[in-house]
Amino acid sequence: MSRNTQHLMLFCTAVVLFVTACLYGQQNVKILSAALNDRVQTTAGMEGRLTTTLRTTNPYQYNGAEVLHTVRQMTGTGIPVEVDGTSYVIDPLVSKTATIPVQLDATYRPEFIRNETGELLKIVFWKEASVN
């Protein structure tokens, strides 16, 4: 077989494989689209029997647990976190028993201090007075 014939056969095989892959991908998109449309119709047909369990607080108020979580999450980022004017850095790998004097049922107002480019410099939490 000549060299040109071999190249022609390889090119034709590549074209056939490419077209087959494109058709297979198109078929997969159709199947996924049909499944998504079916899921949307099923969810819409539930008529409010679906309820969410995730509740978020007011974005301008954090509870004590959210403050503790934020302080632990910001450890190692280089961004200082202050609670009522006192700066805290807790590394759970160094000290697992380190605590922050935060009341879990109290509400805290966050202040996000940024520079002129919008980069976060510091997070400050201030305890709000309870209204009874």
Side-chain angles (χ1 to χ4, degrees):
M1 206 181 310
S2 73
R3 188 165 184 83
N4 289 336
T5 308
Q6 286 179 344
H7 285 296
L8 179 65
M9 289 175 65
L10 286 173
F11 178 74
C12 289
T13 303
V15 168
V16 167
L17 288 175
F18 177 74
V19 170
T20 304
C22 289
L23 291 174
Y24 181 72
Q26 184 182 13
Q27 183 65 25
N28 280 342
V29 168
K30 279 184 188 177
I31 291 170
L32 290 174
S33 178
L36 182 60
N37 287 334
D38 182 50
R39 175 57 58 198
V40 167
Q41 290 174 358
T42 302
T43 304
M46 290 188 159
E47 299 174 359
R49 289 178 286 185
L50 213 84
T51 59
T52 59
T53 57
L54 178 64
R55 303 279 186 254
T56 57
T57 61
N58 185 348
Y60 300 109
Q61 289 183 338
Y62 281 41
N63 63 28
E66 290 171 323
V67 172
L68 288 175
H69 180 73
T70 302
V71 171
R72 288 196 181 267
Q73 289 297 314
M74 297 309 288
T75 298
T77 62
I79 299 171
V81 179
E82 290 183 8
V83 179
D84 290 330
T86 306
S87 183
Y88 293 99
V89 176
I90 291 190
D91 189 354
L93 298 176
V94 174
S95 175
K96 293 181 181 181
T97 60
T99 60
I100 302 169
V102 173
Q103 295 177 356
L104 296 179
D105 57 346
T107 57
Y108 292 83
R109 180 180 41 85
E111 289 182 22
F112 300 97
I113 300 169
R114 300 178 182 275
N115 62 10
E116 59 275 354
T117 62
E119 182 181 354
L120 185 62
L121 299 176
K122 183 186 345 182
I123 302 174
V124 180
F125 293 100
W126 296 102
K127 184 177 174 187
E128 293 185 334
S130 62
V131 179
N132 289 333

